[in-house]
Amino acid sequence: MKNIIKSSIKLLWLMIGIVSMVLGAIGVVLPVLPTTPFLLLASFCFAKGSDRFHMWFIGTKLYKKHLESFVTSRSMTLKTKLCILLPASAMLILAMLAMSNIYGRVFIVFLIIFKYIYFFTRIETVKA
């Protein structure tokens, strides 16, 4: 029974990893969808689900182009940072505009500010 549960959990990690990888790949060509967060999630899920899938994933061009520098040195290009921050900020601003609760709006403003401060002070910006 324990093996069935463990196998099911690993399968769930793999499925989430595959969905995240597909969304990340779509984000490469679709500017509205951020690439890096989905690929980070895919890497995490593959590491939890299967060593074989994880090793395959870190050998792909998708990983090498969009994640390798972040994973190895916690650095990103300015373009990558903006491709993550701008769509996420746009979605948060839309949510804020649709919200009538002032506390929710203030929270979203602080969240947007925190994201930018974190990305530009904690993650090194490197040249492409």
Side-chain angles (χ1 to χ4, degrees):
M1 185 67 169
K2 241 182 181 180
N3 286 339
I4 293 173
I5 293 172
K6 190 174 181 179
S7 296
S8 297
I9 290 172
K10 284 189 173 230
L11 182 61
L12 181 63
W13 282 118
L14 288 175
M15 290 189 318
I16 294 169
I18 290 169
V19 169
S20 299
M21 186 185 68
V22 168
L23 289 172
I26 292 170
V28 170
V29 293
L30 207 69
V32 177
L33 196 62
T35 301
T36 308
F38 287 115
L39 295 180
L40 282 170
L41 180 61
S43 180
F44 175 80
C45 292
F46 286 145
K48 290 282 192 178
S50 165
D51 289 336
R52 190 176 91 186
F53 269 96
H54 183 65
M55 294 309 292
W56 167 79
F57 181 66
I58 63 174
T60 63
K61 285 182 184 178
L62 194 61
Y63 176 87
K64 290 188 183 295
K65 183 175 181 187
H66 295 281
L67 276 185
E68 191 169 50
S69 68
F70 177 76
V71 172
T72 57
S73 63
R74 282 196 58 86
S75 62
M76 290 181 185
T77 64
L78 181 60
K79 180 182 176 186
T80 301
K81 286 182 180 183
L82 293 176
C83 285
I84 292 171
L85 290 170
L86 293 177
S89 297
M91 297 304 259
L92 285 170
I93 289 169
L94 287 175
M96 184 181 71
L97 294 175
M99 182 180 293
S100 60
N101 183 338
I102 188 70
Y103 299 111
R105 286 181 169 195
V106 169
F107 176 76
I108 290 175
V109 168
F110 280 118
L111 182 62
I112 291 171
I113 292 169
F114 174 79
K115 283 186 330 165
Y116 282 87
I117 290 172
Y118 182 84
F119 266 72
F120 287 102
T121 61
R122 298 284 192 176
I123 300 172
E124 183 183 351
T125 304
V126 293
K127 295 188 188 241

